[in-house]
Amino acid sequence: MAKVQLGNVVVLDNPSPFLNPFQFELTFECIEELKEDLEWKMIYVGSAESEDYDQILDTIYVGPIPEGRHMFVFQADPPDVSKIPVADALGVTVVLLTCSYRGQEFVRVGYFINNEYTDPELRENPPAVPQFDKVVRNILGSEPRVTRFKINWDDSETQMKTSTEEEQQQQEQPTVNVGFNENSCSQSAMEVI
């Protein structure tokens, strides 16, 4: 069972000029104290064609976290426009918010973004080189795509102890087990809302 449940994400300052910072208000519930930090990332997808153009806008660490409900505003500077392919500067793209615990991502929230000129003349005749200071970013905040991943929330010592015990048992018992192995499937099991 997940020890952290993302409750709500509110997109702030939206729509906004493209060069303004991204701002999200995040609310999450921690059902048990976490001794280590949660790692939150904000990622701008620069091109649907290749991950090479993805930009991590910011990474923050929150923790240790007591049991209870928590809220914070995650703000990050806009993407570096020189790293966005000209063909992908305008139109639809995505911003992702991810959260990991002990290097294991357990939730990802994606929002579609529409980048466009507000000036009708620029819309009709877009310049060859995008003028980002005249582009407006509109995040479709009402329809996030949320993906949850199952991870191992246990303490490191417990994980190491369990895996050492399993290795010893496998060495002692040369039998072959055929069937479902919960540990091998836990990383890939996802639920999309």
Side-chain angles (χ1 to χ4, degrees), residues 120-190:
E121 178 64 32
L122 288 173
R123 270 197 225 167
E124 291 294 319
N125 303 304
V129 176
Q131 297 178 8
F132 287 97
D133 59 332
K134 296 179 180 171
V135 172
V136 170
R137 171 184 74 222
N138 190 359
I139 300 171
L140 186 57
S142 61
E143 296 185 29
R145 302 288 185 253
V146 179
T147 307
R148 290 181 172 85
F149 304 90
K150 288 187 179 180
I151 67 166
N152 188 345
W153 292 91
D154 295 334
D155 290 337
S156 308
E157 294 174 6
T158 307
Q159 289 176 351
M160 288 174 30
K161 189 176 183 181
T162 302
S163 85
T164 304
E165 288 172 1
E166 287 174 356
E167 287 173 18
Q168 286 175 348
Q169 287 175 354
Q170 287 174 356
Q171 289 173 357
E172 292 169 6
Q173 301 172 346
T175 59
V176 177
N177 292 327
V178 179
F180 178 74
N181 180 342
E182 187 176 343
N183 292 333
S184 67
C185 297
S186 63
Q187 287 290 353
S188 62
M190 295 185 282

Side-chain angles (χ1 to χ4, degrees), residues 4-190:
V4 174
Q5 295 292 325
L6 186 60
N8 196 24
V9 180
V10 178
V11 181
L12 305 175
D13 190 26
N14 187 53
S16 174
F18 185 88
L19 299 175
N20 276 13
F22 282 86
Q23 296 180 61
F24 295 92
E25 181 183 88
L26 297 135
T27 305
F28 65 94
E29 186 87 24
C30 190
I31 63 167
E32 182 179 311
E33 180 184 11
L34 295 178
K35 294 182 170 106
E36 294 182 37
D37 294 347
L38 292 176
E39 177 186 39
W40 295 88
K41 286 185 183 178
M42 190 182 305
I43 303 164
Y44 183 85
V45 177
S47 173
E49 304 299 318
S50 172
E51 289 181 17
D52 294 342
Y53 300 104
D54 290 1
Q55 296 182 47
I56 297 174
L57 302 181
D58 202 357
T59 301
I60 60 170
Y61 296 89
V62 179
I65 301 170
E67 181 180 337
R69 189 174 188 185
H70 307 278
M71 183 185 76
F72 70 99
V73 174
F74 191 1
Q75 179 174 314
D77 288 335
D80 180 345
V81 296
S82 69
K83 295 180 181 176
I84 300 172
V86 172
D88 296 310
L90 299 174
V92 178
T93 190
V94 173
V95 64
L96 300 170
L97 301 171
T98 68
C99 191
S100 302
Y101 185 66
R102 293 188 173 138
Q104 304 169 87
E105 182 181 338
F106 65 89
V107 68
R108 177 181 298 177
V109 183
Y111 288 97
F112 288 108
I113 302 172
N114 186 39
N115 295 317
E116 64 182 354
Y117 291 111
T118 53
D119 184 291
E121 178 64 32
L122 288 173
R123 270 197 225 167
E124 291 294 319
N125 303 304
V129 176
Q131 297 178 8
F132 287 97
D133 59 332
K134 296 179 180 171
V135 172
V136 170
R137 171 184 74 222
N138 190 359
I139 300 171
L140 186 57
S142 61
E143 296 185 29
R145 302 288 185 253
V146 179
T147 307
R148 290 181 172 85
F149 304 90
K150 288 187 179 180
I151 67 166
N152 188 345
W153 292 91
D154 295 334
D155 290 337
S156 308
E157 294 174 6
T158 307
Q159 289 176 351
M160 288 174 30
K161 189 176 183 181
T162 302
S163 85
T164 304
E165 288 172 1
E166 287 174 356
E167 287 173 18
Q168 286 175 348
Q169 287 175 354
Q170 287 174 356
Q171 289 173 357
E172 292 169 6
Q173 301 172 346
T175 59
V176 177
N177 292 327
V178 179
F180 178 74
N181 180 342
E182 187 176 343
N183 292 333
S184 67
C185 297
S186 63
Q187 287 290 353
S188 62
M190 295 185 282

